[in-house]
Amino acid sequence: MKIPERNAELKRTVKSMASVADYLWHKGWAERNAGNMSVNVSGFIRDEVPGDAGNVIPLATAFPSLEGQYLLLSGSGTRMRNLAAKPYRNVCLLRIGKGGTAYTLYSDAKGKMMPTSELPTHLAIHAKLLGEGRTEKALLHTHVNELIALTQIREYTSEESINRLLWGMHPETLMFIPQGAGFVPYTLPGTGVIAEKTLEALASHTVVIWEKHGCLAVGDDLYEAFDLIDILAKSAGIFFTCRNAGYDPEGMTEEQLAEIRKFVTSH
């Protein structure tokens, strides 16, 4: 069955996926089929998507808390440049079945578009967000050049050191990400281990840096998730701009950071 296009809210979500995919491609953060995204659209779905239609596919791990939930995801092997140009051919809609043991697949790509290979990670994160009553509905993962480069420097491979650097490069970073970014030391991509470590980091963060790999963020929508990643990339870019000019960036002092924290908490 096709993804319904008459549902205005669902249509806007697909459009946001296309827009953010375009941002990632033009940023140079989405080589080949790199990156993936998903949005919990359960609040948008009505009778136009029957729960018993489409292809039913079992899950290796059950997610009982997601029973009856609808997720819109980028497709497996999807290039972000293609998702931006033809979104309905590069996304798919899932409905999680009874007990969270399987899902029904809806796709416009003649039924052949499967969800991202990172589906277990997406499901685990959405289950966490839903179970904790959090407002974030969107998840975005991409390969941010500036952050990957930064984690190639041993000095910046801890949560404390990398946040101190990123906060120090630009006031907006601390203003918009006062809790800082979570940090996951290098872990083999696409494994249950990286998913577990990311879930731990998301307990107190909305954006997580994966050492030598990229970044993942959650937000109320994809634009918010993208903004979080973009802010961190800006700070990392300022660091490298100074370094390329032959200078070690001074960064903001502890007093200046304290002033910003005070401003943030009072507004």
Side-chain angles (χ1 to χ4, degrees):
M1 179 178 173
K2 286 188 175 184
I3 299 171
E5 296 187 40
R6 293 184 179 180
N7 183 315
E9 294 161 315
L10 193 60
K11 189 174 182 179
R12 279 194 293 271
T13 304
V14 173
K15 183 179 179 181
S16 75
M17 295 179 79
S19 296
V20 170
D22 190 55
Y23 300 160
L24 301 182
W25 170 246
H26 284 97
K27 284 277 190 181
W29 298 347
E31 74 285 357
R32 199 175 180 272
N33 64 323
N36 40 75
M37 61 182 75
S38 63
V39 184
N40 187 328
V41 294
S42 304
F44 305 158
I45 303 297
R46 301 180 185 87
D47 296 335
E48 67 269 44
V49 181
D52 58 353
N55 302 318
V56 178
I57 301 168
L59 288 166
T61 301
F63 296 92
S65 65
L66 291 180
E67 179 179 329
Q69 297 292 299
Y70 288 89
L71 301 178
L72 194 61
L73 302 100
S74 53
S76 177
T78 294
R79 272 69 169 166
M80 288 297 162
R81 59 182 181 269
N82 294 339
L83 197 162
K86 297 179 179 179
Y88 281 96
R89 293 189 182 181
N90 291 279
V91 301
C92 52
L93 180 68
L94 310 184
R95 180 184 185 275
I96 308 300
K98 186 176 181 180
T101 60
Y103 64 86
T104 301
L105 176 66
Y106 307 88
S107 171
D108 278 13
K110 297 181 179 179
K112 296 180 180 180
M113 180 57 67
M114 297 297 292
T116 169
S117 58
E118 296 286 356
L119 177 62
T121 299
H122 283 256
L123 293 179
I125 292 174
H126 281 292
K128 176 182 179 64
L129 297 174
L130 187 66
E132 295 179 355
R134 289 172 57 166
T135 61
E136 297 98 334
K137 302 293 184 186
L139 167 60
L140 177 64
H141 164 57
T142 189
H143 297 170
V144 184
N145 302 344
E146 299 89 340
L147 295 175
I148 295 171
L150 191 58
T151 63
Q152 297 285 346
I153 304 171
R154 181 51 48 191
E155 183 180 352
Y156 304 114
T157 53
S158 73
E159 185 173 314
E160 181 180 2
S161 64
I162 201 167
N163 279 308
R164 179 60 183 85
L165 174 75
L166 294 171
W167 282 333
M169 291 299 101
H170 196 262
E172 303 282 325
T173 308
L174 182 54
M175 287 182 177
F176 288 105
I177 312 178
Q179 75 278 21
F183 184 81
V184 172
Y186 179 77
T187 306
L188 184 65
T191 63
V193 177
I194 197 169
E196 290 174 8
K197 291 183 177 180
T198 302
L199 284 172
E200 291 174 6
L202 285 172
S204 52
H205 302 282
T206 53
V207 58
V208 180
I209 296 170
W210 289 345
E211 182 183 345
K212 299 183 178 75
H213 182 172
C215 200
L216 178 147
V218 295
D220 290 351
D221 56 36
L222 284 170
Y223 296 118
E224 183 177 277
F226 171 82
D227 285 344
L228 292 171
I229 296 174
D230 197 32
I231 288 167
L232 295 181
K234 172 91 172 188
S235 281
I238 291 170
F239 170 79
F240 285 114
T241 297
C242 292
R243 280 285 186 92
N244 291 340
Y247 298 94
D248 285 326
E250 180 181 61
M252 285 182 284
T253 66
E254 289 298 331
E255 291 75 16
Q256 290 167 336
L257 291 174
E259 182 183 36
I260 295 170
R261 289 190 180 96
K262 184 178 180 180
F263 176 83
V264 170
T265 56
S266 64
H267 286 76

mmCIF file of all heavy atoms in Angstrom, residues 20-21 24-25 28-37 74-83 116-118 140-145 148 213-215:
data_model
loop_
_atom_site.group_PDB
_atom_site.id
_atom_site.type_symbol
_atom_site.label_atom_id
_atom_site.label_comp_id
_atom_site.label_asym_id
_atom_site.label_seq_id
_atom_site.Cartn_x
_atom_site.Cartn_y
_atom_site.Cartn_z
ATOM 1 N N VAL A 20 15.592 18.437 4.929
ATOM 2 C CA VAL A 20 16.759 18.142 5.761
ATOM 3 C C VAL A 20 17.753 17.272 4.989
ATOM 4 O O VAL A 20 18.964 17.458 5.101
ATOM 5 C CB VAL A 20 16.326 17.474 7.082
ATOM 6 C CG1 VAL A 20 17.530 16.950 7.847
ATOM 7 C CG2 VAL A 20 15.560 18.478 7.936
ATOM 8 N N ALA A 21 17.258 16.340 4.191
ATOM 9 C CA ALA A 21 18.148 15.535 3.349
ATOM 10 C C ALA A 21 18.949 16.430 2.410
ATOM 11 O O ALA A 21 20.154 16.211 2.189
ATOM 12 C CB ALA A 21 17.338 14.516 2.554
ATOM 13 N N LEU A 24 21.738 18.117 4.349
ATOM 14 C CA LEU A 24 22.842 17.203 4.634
ATOM 15 C C LEU A 24 23.718 16.993 3.401
ATOM 16 O O LEU A 24 24.953 16.959 3.497
ATOM 17 C CB LEU A 24 22.302 15.852 5.117
ATOM 18 C CG LEU A 24 21.436 15.851 6.374
ATOM 19 C CD1 LEU A 24 21.040 14.426 6.737
ATOM 20 C CD2 LEU A 24 22.142 16.518 7.543
ATOM 21 N N TRP A 25 23.061 16.850 2.253
ATOM 22 C CA TRP A 25 23.815 16.624 1.012
ATOM 23 C C TRP A 25 24.683 17.832 0.674
ATOM 24 O O TRP A 25 25.867 17.693 0.369
ATOM 25 C CB TRP A 25 22.845 16.312 -0.129
ATOM 26 C CG TRP A 25 23.506 16.301 -1.483
ATOM 27 C CD1 TRP A 25 23.290 17.165 -2.513
ATOM 28 C CD2 TRP A 25 24.497 15.372 -1.940
ATOM 29 N NE1 TRP A 25 24.079 16.839 -3.585
ATOM 30 C CE2 TRP A 25 24.840 15.741 -3.255
ATOM 31 C CE3 TRP A 25 25.135 14.275 -1.359
ATOM 32 C CZ2 TRP A 25 25.783 15.048 -4.004
ATOM 33 C CZ3 TRP A 25 26.081 13.582 -2.111
ATOM 34 C CH2 TRP A 25 26.391 13.971 -3.420
ATOM 35 N N GLY A 28 27.766 18.357 2.697
ATOM 36 C CA GLY A 28 28.825 17.360 2.513
ATOM 37 C C GLY A 28 28.855 16.329 3.625
ATOM 38 O O GLY A 28 29.871 15.675 3.848
ATOM 39 N N TRP A 29 27.712 16.155 4.316
ATOM 40 C CA TRP A 29 27.631 15.228 5.444
ATOM 41 C C TRP A 29 26.962 13.911 5.056
ATOM 42 O O TRP A 29 26.669 13.097 5.930
ATOM 43 C CB TRP A 29 26.831 15.849 6.587
ATOM 44 C CG TRP A 29 27.405 17.101 7.170
ATOM 45 C CD1 TRP A 29 28.664 17.608 6.976
ATOM 46 C CD2 TRP A 29 26.743 18.005 8.065
ATOM 47 N NE1 TRP A 29 28.830 18.766 7.684
ATOM 48 C CE2 TRP A 29 27.668 19.036 8.373
ATOM 49 C CE3 TRP A 29 25.481 18.036 8.644
ATOM 50 C CZ2 TRP A 29 27.343 20.096 9.218
ATOM 51 C CZ3 TRP A 29 25.154 19.081 9.489
ATOM 52 C CH2 TRP A 29 26.083 20.103 9.773
ATOM 53 N N ALA A 30 26.732 13.693 3.778
ATOM 54 C CA ALA A 30 25.942 12.518 3.372
ATOM 55 C C ALA A 30 26.531 11.874 2.125
ATOM 56 O O ALA A 30 25.913 11.850 1.072
ATOM 57 C CB ALA A 30 24.483 12.926 3.146
ATOM 58 N N GLU A 31 27.730 11.339 2.263
ATOM 59 C CA GLU A 31 28.356 10.628 1.149
ATOM 60 C C GLU A 31 27.599 9.336 0.849
ATOM 61 O O GLU A 31 27.038 8.721 1.744
ATOM 62 C CB GLU A 31 29.831 10.322 1.463
ATOM 63 C CG GLU A 31 30.082 9.204 2.460
ATOM 64 C CD GLU A 31 29.816 9.582 3.900
ATOM 65 O OE1 GLU A 31 29.481 10.758 4.185
ATOM 66 O OE2 GLU A 31 29.936 8.677 4.757
ATOM 67 N N ARG A 32 27.542 8.962 -0.398
ATOM 68 C CA ARG A 32 26.859 7.748 -0.838
ATOM 69 C C ARG A 32 25.493 7.620 -0.142
ATOM 70 O O ARG A 32 24.659 8.496 -0.300
ATOM 71 C CB ARG A 32 27.739 6.522 -0.594
ATOM 72 C CG ARG A 32 27.332 5.289 -1.429
ATOM 73 C CD ARG A 32 28.305 4.132 -1.260
ATOM 74 N NE ARG A 32 27.879 3.000 -2.076
ATOM 75 C CZ ARG A 32 27.031 2.057 -1.654
ATOM 76 N NH1 ARG A 32 26.521 2.117 -0.433
ATOM 77 N NH2 ARG A 32 26.691 1.065 -2.456
ATOM 78 N N ASN A 33 25.288 6.542 0.630
ATOM 79 C CA ASN A 33 23.998 6.362 1.312
ATOM 80 C C ASN A 33 24.116 6.652 2.807
ATOM 81 O O ASN A 33 23.369 6.112 3.622
ATOM 82 C CB ASN A 33 23.459 4.946 1.106
ATOM 83 C CG ASN A 33 24.362 3.882 1.722
ATOM 84 O OD1 ASN A 33 25.581 4.020 1.687
ATOM 85 N ND2 ASN A 33 23.782 2.817 2.242
ATOM 86 N N ALA A 34 25.059 7.527 3.176
ATOM 87 C CA ALA A 34 25.290 7.835 4.592
ATOM 88 C C ALA A 34 24.109 8.591 5.192
ATOM 89 O O ALA A 34 23.461 9.398 4.525
ATOM 90 C CB ALA A 34 26.557 8.665 4.746
ATOM 91 N N GLY A 35 23.878 8.342 6.473
ATOM 92 C CA GLY A 35 22.849 9.060 7.219
ATOM 93 C C GLY A 35 21.482 8.401 7.143
ATOM 94 O O GLY A 35 21.183 7.648 6.210
ATOM 95 N N ASN A 36 20.668 8.688 8.133
ATOM 96 C CA ASN A 36 19.304 8.174 8.159
ATOM 97 C C ASN A 36 18.473 9.042 9.088
ATOM 98 O O ASN A 36 19.020 9.810 9.902
ATOM 99 C CB ASN A 36 19.270 6.698 8.598
ATOM 100 C CG ASN A 36 20.240 6.401 9.711
ATOM 101 O OD1 ASN A 36 20.004 6.762 10.868
ATOM 102 N ND2 ASN A 36 21.355 5.752 9.379
ATOM 103 N N MET A 37 17.169 8.941 8.964
ATOM 104 C CA MET A 37 16.262 9.769 9.764
ATOM 105 C C MET A 37 14.930 9.062 9.947
ATOM 106 O O MET A 37 14.557 8.172 9.154
ATOM 107 C CB MET A 37 16.047 11.129 9.090
ATOM 108 C CG MET A 37 15.423 11.064 7.714
ATOM 109 S SD MET A 37 15.229 12.707 6.933
ATOM 110 C CE MET A 37 16.916 13.090 6.456
ATOM 111 N N SER A 74 13.692 7.035 6.520
ATOM 112 C CA SER A 74 14.423 6.999 5.258
ATOM 113 C C SER A 74 14.653 5.534 4.889
ATOM 114 O O SER A 74 14.740 4.658 5.754
ATOM 115 C CB SER A 74 15.758 7.730 5.395
ATOM 116 O OG SER A 74 16.500 7.241 6.498
ATOM 117 N N GLY A 75 14.728 5.263 3.588
ATOM 118 C CA GLY A 75 14.848 3.891 3.120
ATOM 119 C C GLY A 75 16.264 3.359 3.163
ATOM 120 O O GLY A 75 17.239 4.116 3.167
ATOM 121 N N SER A 76 16.384 2.044 3.184
ATOM 122 C CA SER A 76 17.687 1.387 3.183
ATOM 123 C C SER A 76 18.424 1.687 1.874
ATOM 124 O O SER A 76 17.863 1.557 0.782
ATOM 125 C CB SER A 76 17.500 -0.123 3.338
ATOM 126 O OG SER A 76 18.729 -0.786 3.274
ATOM 127 N N GLY A 77 19.686 2.100 1.999
ATOM 128 C CA GLY A 77 20.488 2.409 0.815
ATOM 129 C C GLY A 77 20.167 3.735 0.175
ATOM 130 O O GLY A 77 20.720 4.083 -0.873
ATOM 131 N N THR A 78 19.269 4.496 0.784
ATOM 132 C CA THR A 78 18.838 5.768 0.208
ATOM 133 C C THR A 78 19.952 6.806 0.199
ATOM 134 O O THR A 78 20.628 7.004 1.209
ATOM 135 C CB THR A 78 17.645 6.324 1.018
ATOM 136 O OG1 THR A 78 16.532 5.458 0.859
ATOM 137 C CG2 THR A 78 17.262 7.716 0.553
ATOM 138 N N ARG A 79 20.152 7.458 -0.926
ATOM 139 C CA ARG A 79 21.039 8.610 -1.007
ATOM 140 C C ARG A 79 20.252 9.845 -0.596
ATOM 141 O O ARG A 79 19.119 10.028 -1.037
ATOM 142 C CB ARG A 79 21.560 8.831 -2.425
ATOM 143 C CG ARG A 79 22.834 8.089 -2.784
ATOM 144 C CD ARG A 79 22.638 6.606 -2.881
ATOM 145 N NE ARG A 79 23.826 5.968 -3.473
ATOM 146 C CZ ARG A 79 24.064 4.674 -3.446
ATOM 147 N NH1 ARG A 79 23.214 3.865 -2.836
ATOM 148 N NH2 ARG A 79 25.144 4.166 -4.005
ATOM 149 N N MET A 80 20.847 10.688 0.233
ATOM 150 C CA MET A 80 20.133 11.882 0.676
ATOM 151 C C MET A 80 19.786 12.796 -0.494
ATOM 152 O O MET A 80 18.743 13.449 -0.490
ATOM 153 C CB MET A 80 20.954 12.638 1.724
ATOM 154 C CG MET A 80 21.015 11.934 3.069
ATOM 155 S SD MET A 80 19.377 11.788 3.838
ATOM 156 C CE MET A 80 19.678 10.502 5.055
ATOM 157 N N ARG A 81 20.631 12.836 -1.505
ATOM 158 C CA ARG A 81 20.330 13.663 -2.673
ATOM 159 C C ARG A 81 19.084 13.153 -3.398
ATOM 160 O O ARG A 81 18.312 13.939 -3.955
ATOM 161 C CB ARG A 81 21.535 13.697 -3.627
ATOM 162 C CG ARG A 81 21.981 12.358 -4.155
ATOM 163 C CD ARG A 81 23.213 12.491 -5.054
ATOM 164 N NE ARG A 81 23.653 11.230 -5.607
ATOM 165 C CZ ARG A 81 24.541 10.420 -5.039
ATOM 166 N NH1 ARG A 81 25.076 10.754 -3.868
ATOM 167 N NH2 ARG A 81 24.894 9.294 -5.620
ATOM 168 N N ASN A 82 18.882 11.825 -3.377
ATOM 169 C CA ASN A 82 17.692 11.254 -4.007
ATOM 170 C C ASN A 82 16.448 11.466 -3.149
ATOM 171 O O ASN A 82 15.360 11.717 -3.669
ATOM 172 C CB ASN A 82 17.901 9.765 -4.261
ATOM 173 C CG ASN A 82 18.980 9.495 -5.291
ATOM 174 O OD1 ASN A 82 19.306 10.374 -6.094
ATOM 175 N ND2 ASN A 82 19.559 8.310 -5.267
ATOM 176 N N LEU A 83 16.624 11.362 -1.827
ATOM 177 C CA LEU A 83 15.500 11.598 -0.924
ATOM 178 C C LEU A 83 15.024 13.040 -1.062
ATOM 179 O O LEU A 83 13.820 13.317 -1.045
ATOM 180 C CB LEU A 83 15.917 11.299 0.515
ATOM 181 C CG LEU A 83 14.811 11.097 1.560
ATOM 182 C CD1 LEU A 83 15.363 10.388 2.794
ATOM 183 C CD2 LEU A 83 14.155 12.396 1.981
ATOM 184 N N THR A 116 15.675 1.976 6.749
ATOM 185 C CA THR A 116 17.107 2.054 6.999
ATOM 186 C C THR A 116 17.632 0.834 7.759
ATOM 187 O O THR A 116 16.948 0.280 8.628
ATOM 188 C CB THR A 116 17.447 3.331 7.799
ATOM 189 O OG1 THR A 116 18.813 3.263 8.249
ATOM 190 C CG2 THR A 116 16.561 3.485 9.012
ATOM 191 N N SER A 117 18.865 0.450 7.462
ATOM 192 C CA SER A 117 19.475 -0.696 8.149
ATOM 193 C C SER A 117 19.681 -0.424 9.634
ATOM 194 O O SER A 117 19.909 -1.348 10.421
ATOM 195 C CB SER A 117 20.821 -1.042 7.501
ATOM 196 O OG SER A 117 21.697 0.081 7.548
ATOM 197 N N GLU A 118 19.601 0.845 10.020
ATOM 198 C CA GLU A 118 19.726 1.224 11.430
ATOM 199 C C GLU A 118 18.369 1.184 12.143
ATOM 200 O O GLU A 118 18.201 1.784 13.197
ATOM 201 C CB GLU A 118 20.318 2.633 11.539
ATOM 202 C CG GLU A 118 21.729 2.764 11.007
ATOM 203 C CD GLU A 118 22.780 2.153 11.924
ATOM 204 O OE1 GLU A 118 22.401 1.694 13.022
ATOM 205 O OE2 GLU A 118 23.951 2.141 11.552
ATOM 206 N N LEU A 140 17.704 12.023 13.850
ATOM 207 C CA LEU A 140 18.550 12.295 12.688
ATOM 208 C C LEU A 140 19.979 11.846 12.956
ATOM 209 O O LEU A 140 20.559 12.193 13.987
ATOM 210 C CB LEU A 140 18.533 13.789 12.368
ATOM 211 C CG LEU A 140 19.421 14.278 11.216
ATOM 212 C CD1 LEU A 140 18.961 13.674 9.888
ATOM 213 C CD2 LEU A 140 19.399 15.801 11.137
ATOM 214 N N HIS A 141 20.544 11.073 12.031
ATOM 215 C CA HIS A 141 21.954 10.670 12.110
ATOM 216 C C HIS A 141 22.649 11.073 10.815
ATOM 217 O O HIS A 141 22.127 10.832 9.727
ATOM 218 C CB HIS A 141 22.083 9.161 12.310
ATOM 219 C CG HIS A 141 23.463 8.648 12.028
ATOM 220 N ND1 HIS A 141 24.583 9.116 12.683
ATOM 221 C CD2 HIS A 141 23.911 7.728 11.135
ATOM 222 C CE1 HIS A 141 25.653 8.506 12.217
ATOM 223 N NE2 HIS A 141 25.274 7.654 11.271
ATOM 224 N N THR A 142 23.832 11.677 10.938
ATOM 225 C CA THR A 142 24.591 12.078 9.763
ATOM 226 C C THR A 142 26.078 12.107 10.078
ATOM 227 O O THR A 142 26.483 12.051 11.239
ATOM 228 C CB THR A 142 24.104 13.453 9.254
ATOM 229 O OG1 THR A 142 24.699 13.733 7.991
ATOM 230 C CG2 THR A 142 24.441 14.569 10.246
ATOM 231 N N HIS A 143 26.896 12.168 9.029
ATOM 232 C CA HIS A 143 28.349 12.146 9.165
ATOM 233 C C HIS A 143 28.891 13.580 9.031
ATOM 234 O O HIS A 143 29.129 14.054 7.921
ATOM 235 C CB HIS A 143 28.961 11.243 8.095
ATOM 236 C CG HIS A 143 28.547 9.810 8.218
ATOM 237 N ND1 HIS A 143 28.801 8.860 7.255
ATOM 238 C CD2 HIS A 143 27.891 9.151 9.222
ATOM 239 C CE1 HIS A 143 28.323 7.692 7.651
ATOM 240 N NE2 HIS A 143 27.762 7.846 8.840
ATOM 241 N N VAL A 144 29.054 14.224 10.157
ATOM 242 C CA VAL A 144 29.463 15.638 10.174
ATOM 243 C C VAL A 144 30.982 15.730 10.081
ATOM 244 O O VAL A 144 31.693 15.333 11.004
ATOM 245 C CB VAL A 144 28.968 16.326 11.464
ATOM 246 C CG1 VAL A 144 29.310 17.799 11.435
ATOM 247 C CG2 VAL A 144 27.482 16.103 11.651
ATOM 248 N N ASN A 145 31.478 16.276 8.974
ATOM 249 C CA ASN A 145 32.922 16.330 8.728
ATOM 250 C C ASN A 145 33.683 16.954 9.891
ATOM 251 O O ASN A 145 34.698 16.425 10.352
ATOM 252 C CB ASN A 145 33.212 17.139 7.457
ATOM 253 C CG ASN A 145 32.533 16.580 6.230
ATOM 254 O OD1 ASN A 145 32.073 15.438 6.231
ATOM 255 N ND2 ASN A 145 32.461 17.371 5.180
ATOM 256 N N ILE A 148 33.681 14.716 13.061
ATOM 257 C CA ILE A 148 34.511 13.530 12.849
ATOM 258 C C ILE A 148 35.989 13.913 12.924
ATOM 259 O O ILE A 148 36.794 13.231 13.573
ATOM 260 C CB ILE A 148 34.189 12.873 11.492
ATOM 261 C CG1 ILE A 148 32.753 12.333 11.488
ATOM 262 C CG2 ILE A 148 35.179 11.744 11.191
ATOM 263 C CD1 ILE A 148 32.268 11.857 10.135
ATOM 264 N N HIS A 213 32.892 8.898 13.733
ATOM 265 C CA HIS A 213 31.767 8.383 12.948
ATOM 266 C C HIS A 213 30.764 9.464 12.560
ATOM 267 O O HIS A 213 30.387 9.580 11.391
ATOM 268 C CB HIS A 213 31.074 7.273 13.739
ATOM 269 C CG HIS A 213 29.934 6.615 13.025
ATOM 270 N ND1 HIS A 213 29.297 5.500 13.521
ATOM 271 C CD2 HIS A 213 29.282 6.921 11.867
ATOM 272 C CE1 HIS A 213 28.331 5.140 12.686
ATOM 273 N NE2 HIS A 213 28.290 5.985 11.680
ATOM 274 N N GLY A 214 30.324 10.272 13.502
ATOM 275 C CA GLY A 214 29.325 11.274 13.145
ATOM 276 C C GLY A 214 28.535 11.740 14.349
ATOM 277 O O GLY A 214 29.058 11.842 15.450
ATOM 278 N N CYS A 215 27.261 11.987 14.123
ATOM 279 C CA CYS A 215 26.448 12.617 15.154
ATOM 280 C C CYS A 215 25.003 12.144 15.024
ATOM 281 O O CYS A 215 24.546 11.802 13.921
ATOM 282 C CB CYS A 215 26.509 14.132 14.958
ATOM 283 S SG CYS A 215 26.058 15.097 16.396
#
